[in-house]
Structures are given as structure tokens and as C-alpha cells.
Amino acid sequence: MNLEEKTIKSEERYKGRIMGLLVDTVTLPDGQTATREIVTHNGGVGVIAEDNEGNIYLVNQYRYPYHRVTLEIPAGKRDSLDEEPIVCGKRELKEETGATAKNFIPLGSLYPTPGYCAEIIWLFAATDLEFGSQNLDSDEFLNVKKIPFKKALEMVLNDEIKDSKTQIAILKYNEYKKANGLN
């Protein structure tokens, strides 16, 4: 069965600095029509950075929608739809942790909320780190945490890390390390 939905009409209802909102009318596979509300977003990048001692660098950051502090890999949104994810990843790693890396390993991409949001998040692992100073955005407040990789993996499996991009990056990087004899 063909599952594709065809756009009949698209109306931009909101355009903010981080996201927008479209309300689309679509034709369903059976010929009926339906409404789809879509959050638009430039996408983002998350970076799991590991030092030579097996520690990764995570950040504590207050996330307003949940009204709590979360533990996450360094991450941020792309400046535009044209910005290469690797460029964004390098920028965000430096901004949030002060680190630069000699090696960036692609870990793939994910759709964090495909039911209503067009965001794509690209994931990278970064190794051979060198540290300088952070360069946080004016509205960004976070604390950098150095955690042994194996402890972070346990935290994911014990449901102590709630952020999906962080969970997926840690799990994918663990598999990458196993496949390449790095565990």
C-alpha cells in the first residue's frame, strides 16, 4: 500500500527564531483529507566527546519545557538549513565545553519527534580533544560534567539520562567502540 500523503495547502502560522509552525492540508492514501500541524526547525547536532582517559563531556542545562535540569551531550541548532552538520557540531562542542577535536566520527542522524516536528539531529563522536575556553550564547547557562564513558552508559540503561539524543549517541558510540575494538 502507498502510504504517502500529498500536500494540498500549506500555511505558515508562526515563525520564531528557533522554530516555526505550519498547518497543512493533505490528501491521505485513501483519498480523504486531513490536517497536519508541523513544527519546522533547522535541525541540530549533538557531539559525544571522549578524552584519552575514557571520560565523556556532558552538560547540565535547565530545560524549560520540563522545568528541570537535564544531562546531555553538547548540542545545538544549525544556523540554517544549508549549514553542514559537522560545522555545527564543531561550533557547539567548542561553545559549550571549550573543546576542539582532531577526529569527528559520524554516528548518523535521528528524527526526535516525527509525529509533528521536521527536526533532524545529526550525531558525532569527537576524540583527540584539546581544551580552551567556553563561548556560550548570551542566553545559555550550563555546567560541564566529565563522566567515565562506562558510567554514562550505565546511566542511560538505568534511565538516569532522559535526553533522547544523548541516549542514542551513547548507545551508538558504544557499538562503534565495540565494532572497532575500542572498549
Side-chain angles (χ1 to χ4, degrees):
M1 173 191 332
N2 179 2
L3 301 175
E4 186 177 353
E5 299 178 0
K6 305 232 187 249
T7 306
I8 299 169
K9 179 176 87 170
S10 184
E11 181 184 341
E12 185 176 65
R13 295 270 181 97
Y14 175 78
K15 179 124 175 95
R17 71 178 182 88
I18 295 175
M19 43 78 67
L21 176 64
L22 300 176
V23 178
D24 288 3
T25 304
V26 300
T27 301
L28 300 173
D30 67 0
Q32 294 186 66
T33 61
T35 301
R36 299 290 184 243
E37 298 172 344
I38 302 121
V39 174
T40 59
H41 190 280
N42 286 344
V45 175
V47 180
I48 181 168
E50 184 180 35
D51 66 20
N52 293 335
E53 287 80 46
N55 300 300
I56 63 170
Y57 293 81
L58 302 176
V59 297
N60 277 130
Q61 188 169 8
Y62 186 81
R63 291 300 193 179
Y64 188 82
Y66 302 102
H67 298 287
R68 65 183 298 174
V69 173
T70 61
L71 187 61
E72 305 176 27
I73 57 176
K77 68 179 180 55
R78 294 191 305 162
D79 286 340
S80 72
L81 291 172
D82 296 328
E83 183 179 35
E84 289 296 323
I86 188 80
V87 172
C88 177
K90 289 178 179 182
R91 180 185 68 246
E92 291 298 330
L93 180 63
K94 174 71 173 141
E95 281 181 9
E96 293 190 4
T97 68
T100 56
K102 291 182 183 168
N103 297 316
F104 271 81
I105 303 156
L107 297 176
S109 62
L110 63 103
Y111 300 157
T113 48
Y116 62 87
C117 186
E119 180 182 19
I120 299 171
I121 298 176
W122 287 267
L123 300 173
F124 294 91
T127 61
D128 292 326
L129 306 177
E130 293 181 14
F131 287 89
S133 59
Q134 288 176 305
N135 185 24
L136 299 174
D137 294 333
S138 63
D139 63 347
E140 190 170 37
F141 302 90
L142 52 83
N143 295 317
V144 178
K145 302 287 184 189
K146 181 169 89 170
I147 299 175
F149 177 76
K150 291 198 182 291
K151 171 67 176 164
L153 181 59
E154 289 173 17
M155 292 172 76
V156 167
L157 297 174
N158 292 330
D159 205 27
E160 296 173 59
I161 295 177
K162 300 284 191 185
D163 177 63
S164 65
K165 71 182 171 305
T166 302
Q167 292 177 345
I168 292 168
I170 289 171
L171 294 171
K172 282 186 145 190
Y173 187 51
N174 187 56
E175 291 304 309
Y176 171 86
K177 289 173 66 150
K178 279 197 253 184
N180 289 282
L182 302 173
N183 269 355

